[in-house]
Amino acid sequence: MSRVPDQVFVEDWDPKDSSVLRDQISAYDNMRRRCPVAHSEAMHWSLFRHADVVRALRDPRTYSNEVSTHLSVPNGIDPPLHSDYRAIIDPYFSRERIDAFEPVCREIAEGLIGKLPIDRAVEVMSELAQPFALKAQSAFLDWPVHLHEPLRQWTMRNREATLAQDPVATAAVAQEFDGYIRDLLETRRQAATPSDDVTSRLLRERIRGRLLTDEEIVSILRNWTVGELTTIAACVGILVHYLAEHPSVQQQLRQMPTALPTAIDEVLRIHPPLLTSRRKTTRPVTVGGKFMAAGSRVTLMWASANRDERAFDAPDEFQLDRNPDENLLYGLGIHVCPGAPLARLELRVIMEELLAYTEWFSPQPNQPPVRAMYPASGYFETWVALG
């Protein structure tokens, strides 16, 4: 049998080029219009169009999620095992648990916002977004207060490793986090009285007749915590910055606070907090006239798909009456984000409290925001004045 020659690719773009990193969302918009299925050394195949991304999300048999060399539960697991993990994980984000957590979440938000000064500029990420994400996550998991500072420091080191694009530092940071979790598991095991907090409950969960391994529990808690400490913080920064820049929208929500859940999803569609996710083809497939062999690595470009003109008329405009089913903020299909109910609660509560505490907030013209860089989105710094 003759060997099929290796495919030679023409690189359509460079995702790490400085012009892309300066404004990732605009760069992805341009790629969607110019080359909606593109190849690059860094991202392999990238799908920019909403329809192409949705097709991939709805076809997990063709687009596998098992792309990492490290265990990633549940988002890095394919069916049928994926369903078994989701059956364990989804109840942690039930309506009853989320409703019960709301008073705790609101107390955290009130405590942080009540300390914000009205007489000077506030750096949103360090003074509100990151502390809120850290405290809310720790409270939801019932983690000890003494972990707050190590986790805060860990978040900073994770950001520095990401900015430096240093794989050795990134691996070390990941190992450090896993150490925190393993120590916590051992503490929970040694407790004289069994607890009903999330970590303790996970120690008692069973899958296919056996207890979850420590590696599986660490992976679950890593996914929840990294998502909280980075993505929720990014969302808060994006939301505050957007409303500061768009006083008419801010005023609309002050007058109509019941619209906040829809408005939050819409703002985060316009400026997505997550840029990409990865897949791997299990069979040959052709998308947009481009052939991808089995085993091809594919990057789904969330930050482009959610701004596609074919799915969202005038995608840069804030519109409260869009079809929510088209918004891919929390994904779609079997891998839709299990923590979406918690995220929606936290973002609604923090924005309700900020709008109630202030009469207005606006950008600081002499302190421009510092955009986050791939793989992060949102801002590393964004300043507002409160009134």
Side-chain angles (χ1 to χ4, degrees):
M1 182 181 295
S2 61
R3 180 178 180 273
V4 177
D6 293 337
Q7 193 170 356
V8 177
F9 297 106
V10 174
E11 301 304 293
D12 299 304
W13 71 310
D14 179 3
K16 295 184 178 180
D17 186 88
S18 59
S19 63
V20 174
L21 296 177
R22 265 196 307 273
D23 188 346
Q24 294 166 134
I25 292 174
S26 293
Y28 299 164
D29 285 344
N30 291 334
M31 286 300 298
R32 183 180 65 250
R33 298 164 189 143
R34 179 177 69 82
C35 186
V37 181
H39 195 274
S40 66
E41 182 179 355
M43 289 187 179
H44 305 276
W45 289 106
S46 293
L47 307 185
F48 289 89
R49 288 185 297 209
H50 187 275
D52 292 336
V53 170
V54 167
R55 193 175 299 113
L57 294 173
R58 288 179 171 161
D59 187 4
R61 292 185 177 180
T62 300
Y63 296 90
S64 168
N65 268 49
E66 294 186 357
V67 297
S68 176
T69 57
H70 304 287
L71 180 66
S72 181
V73 180
N75 51 304
I77 305 292
D78 286 338
L81 186 56
H82 170 266
S83 299
D84 295 337
Y85 282 118
R86 286 298 293 255
I88 292 170
I89 289 169
D90 287 357
Y92 287 86
F93 302 99
S94 67
R95 164 83 59 166
E96 294 75 19
R97 289 184 65 85
I98 299 305
D99 287 349
F101 181 62
E102 179 167 350
V104 178
C105 183
R106 194 171 297 280
E107 183 179 357
I108 292 168
E110 288 175 343
L112 288 168
I113 290 171
K115 295 177 182 177
L116 296 178
I118 296 296
D119 57 347
R120 68 169 176 83
V122 171
E123 200 291 290
V124 175
M125 300 308 299
S126 61
E127 296 187 56
L128 179 61
Q130 292 163 356
F132 174 71
L134 174 61
K135 292 189 175 193
Q137 173 69 358
S138 297
F140 182 74
L141 296 175
D142 196 23
W143 282 0
V145 173
H146 70 72
L147 266 183
H148 287 190
E149 182 59 21
L151 285 173
R152 189 185 72 81
Q153 294 289 339
W154 175 85
T155 303
M156 294 172 59
R157 285 191 289 274
N158 190 50
R159 169 189 162 178
E160 291 166 1
T162 300
L163 276 174
Q165 298 184 21
D166 183 342
V168 175
T170 300
V173 168
Q175 188 173 9
E176 177 188 353
F177 179 82
D178 289 2
Y180 294 143
I181 304 302
R182 291 183 188 277
D183 288 346
L184 197 58
L185 293 181
E186 189 58 31
T187 300
R188 292 294 191 265
R189 282 197 180 97
Q190 298 300 326
T193 304
S195 175
D196 196 42
D197 64 276
V198 171
T199 308
S200 299
R201 289 182 62 193
L202 285 170
L203 284 167
R204 300 192 291 268
E205 295 284 7
R206 306 183 76 88
I207 185 166
R208 298 189 174 184
R210 63 166 176 81
L211 291 170
L212 290 175
T213 66
D214 280 9
E215 184 183 14
E216 289 167 323
I217 297 173
V218 167
S219 177
I220 291 168
L221 291 173
R222 183 196 307 119
N223 285 337
W224 290 356
T225 306
V226 172
E228 186 79 9
L229 298 186
T230 57
T231 308
I232 291 297
C235 288
V236 173
I238 291 167
L239 290 166
V240 175
H241 178 85
Y242 187 90
L243 295 187
E245 292 275 357
H246 297 82
S248 61
V249 176
Q250 183 184 146
Q251 186 60 28
Q252 181 182 6
L253 296 177
R254 290 182 184 280
Q255 296 172 348
M256 192 170 57
T258 55
L260 257 176
T262 302
I264 288 169
D265 281 8
E266 171 67 352
V267 171
L268 297 178
R269 180 201 62 76
I270 295 170
H271 187 153
L274 293 173
L275 297 176
T276 67
S277 66
R278 298 181 296 163
R279 299 292 190 274
K280 182 171 64 177
T281 59
T282 61
R283 63 179 179 85
V285 63
T286 300
V287 184
K290 304 290 183 70
F291 173 79
M292 304 175 196
S296 295
R297 294 192 174 272
V298 180
T299 305
L300 307 182
M301 308 299 291
W302 300 115
S304 169
N306 245 6
R307 296 171 49 80
D308 190 341
E309 299 85 350
R310 296 166 184 81
F312 305 97
D313 178 56
D316 277 314
E317 291 183 9
F318 176 87
Q319 298 179 17
L320 286 174
D321 59 351
R322 295 192 190 275
N323 180 359
D325 294 336
E326 299 293 341
N327 193 332
L328 303 178
L329 175 61
Y330 294 102
L332 185 73
I334 66 169
H335 290 287
V336 66
C337 177
L342 176 62
R344 285 193 162 108
L345 166 75
E346 291 174 344
L347 297 176
R348 172 177 61 81
V349 165
I350 193 73
M351 295 311 296
E352 284 176 348
E353 294 301 323
L354 183 62
L355 290 171
Y357 178 70
T358 60
E359 295 182 2
W360 54 266
F361 48 90
S362 61
Q364 281 291 100
N366 60 336
Q367 292 174 301
V370 179
R371 291 178 182 270
M373 293 176 62
Y374 185 85
S377 183
Y379 304 97
F380 285 143
E381 289 183 9
T382 181
W383 295 81
V384 298
L386 307 180

